[in-house]
Amino acid sequence: MAISDTIKKGAMRAPHRSLLRATGVIQSEDDWDKPFIAIANSFVQIIPGHAHLDVVGRKVREAVREAGGVPFEFNCIGVDDGIAMGHGGMKYSLASRELIADCIETMLRAHCFDGVVCIPNCDKIVPGMMMGAARVNIPSIFVSGGPMKSGTDPVTGRSLNLASVFEAVGQLSSNTITEQQLTTIEKNACPTCGSCSGMFTANSMNCLCEALGWALPGNGSILATDPARDALFQRAGRTIVRLVRDNVRPSDLLTRESFENALALDMAMGGSSNTVLHTIAIAHEAGVPLSMADFNTLAERVPHICKVAPSGSYYMEDVDRAGGISAILKSLATRPGLIHPDSMTVSGLTLGETISTAEVKDEDVIRSLDKAYSPKGGLAVLFGNLAPDGCVVKTAGVSPGMMQFTGTAVIFESQEAANLGILGGQVKAGDVVVIRYEGPRGGPGMQEMLAPTAAIAGRGLGDSVALITDGRFSGATRGGAIGHVSPEAAAGGPIALIEAGDRIEIDIPARGLNLLVSAEVLSERRQRWTPPAPKARSGYLARYAAMVTSADQGAILKVGG
């Protein structure tokens, strides 16, 4: 019996059928014997990565109908991290991930769908949909809207992306560019619809969907404006009907091995630091144990072979031209033990079979293992007396001189204060900027810190100033930026005990982050510390803060957590 029979079969369901007829989706009496397929679309006009998804939804619906399914489209919310950046709106970004997961769960279970095509593209929308689909565990497939093309400065010819605009604000504050130059960068950095052009969070997660076997080849790299993407939409619509027929569920695909494949790709590409947060949360929903330490285990053996902006000079269009995610995975497969080729995918083939025909077409973009940028992966988790439960750094974006760094703490109690302080000249070479009380609970919502890190880079301090926070970073962040410090300050983590002028030691090769203060002094400070009053006292953020867990647990929600 199909799941959707619950709402469409038998005399008792005549009222249900009457309502379904009123939608106009039921085209013939034969439709009652076809699978009901949800099209979970994240179309919203305020996010450039999602502004075209209304058209994508129609194309996927048509493909589902042609394949023998009955498509019902619904939409969920989305927060544009770039637009929410640098003000109170960013507190809602990570929190929106849980709303999206709950939305997916609610729609799928309330209406007894047989399968779902998820159409995400940006930031929290991708992991939110993944969490919801894993939780419900009906046949599902992901097909993103695709990345945008990189921009070009018409005056200098320099490649541009969203991070270029944020960094230009820092350059303006230090009088190294003019307001007219800033306007030129602003107007040309984001030239098309699609998720931002570099290896930021959205593209990182859409690429990881391929490695997990939850999306078809090309999902992460084919540009939003490339006609080749239409074929991907059509194939996804056909594939979901087959997945329902064969009862292939997320639990069949999301195994420990497939998550290790995703982490291997993450390390090979130097993905956004946010992938750590999201992958742990998705694995939790899938019932697969995954910890912060697992990322270091993979990083130790997976070389960094593809360097995409903001860490490198290439963009997603270059990755696609060079062979896409399949080519990167095939390169990893040349060394036994880096990936699990027998993991199944939505294509009906194993990962090994899926990537067997892939080809690296540009060895500057996708390097061979023996010419890797680094023998270790592009992400690392650090531990120490400042982060007993771990913290995350995108090593792919750290200059060699910052891999080991000791500096003097300059403390800010919020992101807003830090941004003003950095732009106002309060931070100098040799400092370690500390931004605290911005964790999942303390923020609440664990704000991204692209504005402060971009300001540091824009003021020419990217190779001489580090930043640590219990908040997190945009995938567009580069430099000595260490986030997700756990436990967070609001939970009494050691980051709350730092005092101005303290010395902080960062040792990325040794995976260490330590406050150079004795245990006795820290104990004395802890006795004086008192928890801060909650920043949110009503509404969704107050409920979120009451239930959210630490970053090292993926910042998932738990009752009494």
Side-chain angles (χ1 to χ4, degrees):
M1 174 176 142
I3 298 172
S4 61
D5 286 352
T6 305
I7 61 169
K8 69 185 182 185
K9 290 296 179 76
M12 295 291 290
R13 297 310 184 216
H16 305 65
R17 290 193 297 273
S18 185
L19 289 167
L20 288 164
R21 291 178 194 278
T23 67
V25 175
I26 302 300
Q27 297 181 355
S28 73
E29 294 305 299
D30 292 340
D31 282 354
W32 302 119
D33 295 320
K34 298 175 181 177
F36 279 13
I37 306 297
I39 312 297
N41 198 341
S42 53
F43 163 68
V44 291
Q45 288 186 319
I46 200 166
I47 307 177
H50 294 242
H52 62 305
L53 296 187
D54 55 337
V55 177
V56 173
R58 175 178 53 78
K59 292 175 179 178
V60 173
R61 290 199 317 268
E62 291 171 352
V64 168
R65 176 70 71 176
E66 290 171 3
V70 181
F72 293 85
E73 186 173 4
F74 68 87
N75 290 87
C76 64
I77 66 165
V79 172
D80 186 297
D81 280 22
I83 296 172
M85 194 79 66
H87 58 87
M90 179 49 72
K91 296 177 184 292
Y92 287 90
S93 174
L94 180 61
S96 74
R97 187 190 72 181
E98 314 309 310
L99 288 177
I100 292 166
D102 291 348
C103 168
I104 297 296
E105 175 192 356
T106 299
M107 289 297 291
L108 297 184
R109 287 190 168 151
H111 301 107
C112 300
F113 285 110
D114 298 304
V116 57
V117 180
C118 290
I119 309 176
N121 214 26
C122 293
D123 296 293
K124 309 309 147 312
I125 297 99
V126 189
M129 285 189 164
M130 293 170 78
M131 290 167 67
R135 186 186 301 169
V136 177
N137 197 33
I138 62 172
S140 58
I141 186 171
F142 280 73
V143 59
S144 75
M148 72 169 60
K149 193 180 186 314
S150 62
T152 303
D153 189 317
V155 177
T156 66
R158 180 172 69 100
S159 293
L160 299 173
N161 60 74
L162 179 62
S164 308
V165 192
F166 277 95
E167 292 183 10
V169 173
Q171 292 168 335
L172 181 68
S173 76
S174 60
N175 298 313
T176 54
I177 64 170
T178 65
E179 287 192 15
Q180 181 57 49
Q181 288 173 306
L182 173 61
T183 300
T184 298
I185 293 169
E186 170 196 328
K187 288 182 175 180
N188 292 279
C190 301
T192 71
C193 65
S195 49
C196 295
S197 55
M199 186 45 54
F200 310 152
T201 304
N203 291 329
S204 297
M205 294 306 301
N206 285 326
C207 291
L208 262 58
C209 276
E210 289 190 45
L212 280 168
W214 219 351
L216 297 167
N219 181 70
S221 63
I222 299 174
L223 289 186
T225 52
D226 189 334
R229 199 141 198 109
D230 283 350
L232 193 65
F233 300 142
Q234 292 166 8
R235 192 178 170 201
R238 295 193 301 269
T239 298
I240 188 59
V241 176
R242 175 182 54 78
L243 293 171
V244 170
R245 183 193 66 219
D246 296 340
N247 196 30
V248 178
R249 298 170 180 259
S251 56
D252 299 313
L253 306 173
L254 303 181
T255 63
R256 172 72 186 196
E257 289 73 22
S258 67
F259 275 101
E260 289 187 357
N261 287 339
L263 299 193
L265 175 68
D266 209 8
M267 297 304 164
M269 297 189 76
S272 164
S273 58
N274 285 313
T275 59
V276 179
L277 192 74
H278 299 321
T279 309
I280 289 173
I282 296 161
H284 170 78
E285 297 290 356
V288 176
L290 195 67
S291 70
M292 297 264 273
D294 290 324
F295 285 79
N296 279 346
T297 301
L298 268 294
E300 284 296 317
R301 63 174 188 258
V302 178
H304 182 203
I305 61 173
C306 184
K307 212 167 192 180
V308 181
S311 303
S313 58
Y314 297 113
Y315 292 89
M316 292 310 299
E317 64 232 53
D318 299 307
V319 174
D320 192 59
R321 172 179 54 79
I325 302 309
S326 291
I328 297 173
L329 291 169
K330 187 172 183 180
S331 295
L332 295 180
T334 61
R335 182 179 297 173
L338 295 190
I339 67 167
H340 302 280
D342 294 332
S343 296
M344 288 304 301
T345 73
V346 288
S347 69
L349 304 173
T350 65
L351 185 68
E353 291 169 334
T354 300
I355 65 176
S356 62
T357 58
E359 177 185 355
V360 175
K361 300 173 183 177
D362 188 331
E363 293 189 355
D364 289 329
V365 179
I366 302 173
R367 293 189 175 187
S368 60
L369 299 183
D370 60 345
K371 295 182 179 178
Y373 291 101
S374 166
K376 295 184 179 182
L379 288 170
V381 175
L382 313 183
F383 296 91
N385 70 355
L386 255 185
D389 295 333
C391 57
V392 182
V393 61
K394 184 173 181 174
T395 58
V398 181
S399 64
M402 292 291 291
M403 297 296 280
Q404 292 176 302
F405 181 82
T406 300
T408 302
V410 178
I411 301 171
F412 299 99
E413 308 294 352
S414 71
Q415 180 202 199
E416 291 81 4
N419 204 39
L420 290 173
I422 294 164
L423 291 175
Q426 294 181 29
V427 174
K428 63 183 185 303
D431 287 341
V432 177
V433 174
V434 178
I435 307 177
R436 63 191 179 190
Y437 295 104
E438 289 288 8
R441 185 195 306 178
M446 206 179 181
Q447 295 192 75
E448 286 188 352
M449 305 292 171
L450 178 55
T453 58
I456 289 170
R459 291 180 68 84
L461 297 171
D463 292 334
S464 58
V465 167
L467 186 153
I468 69 169
T469 179
D470 51 7
R472 59 194 177 86
F473 300 111
S474 163
T477 288
R478 61 187 175 93
I482 299 169
H484 306 204
V485 171
S486 300
E488 63 174 291
I495 189 172
L497 309 179
I498 304 172
E499 294 185 357
D502 283 348
R503 299 286 284 173
I504 295 173
E505 180 185 66
I506 300 165
D507 192 338
I508 295 174
R511 304 297 192 247
L513 176 67
N514 287 286
L515 180 64
L516 301 182
V517 171
S518 70
E520 290 76 17
V521 170
L522 280 179
S523 178
E524 183 180 306
R525 291 179 184 179
R526 181 171 298 284
Q527 291 175 9
R528 298 197 308 264
W529 179 82
T530 56
K535 294 179 183 176
R537 297 180 180 273
S538 63
Y540 175 56
L541 287 181
R543 297 195 302 275
Y544 177 86
M547 293 190 291
V548 72
T549 60
S550 171
D552 67 290
Q553 297 179 52
I556 60 173
L557 301 187
K558 288 184 179 178
V559 176

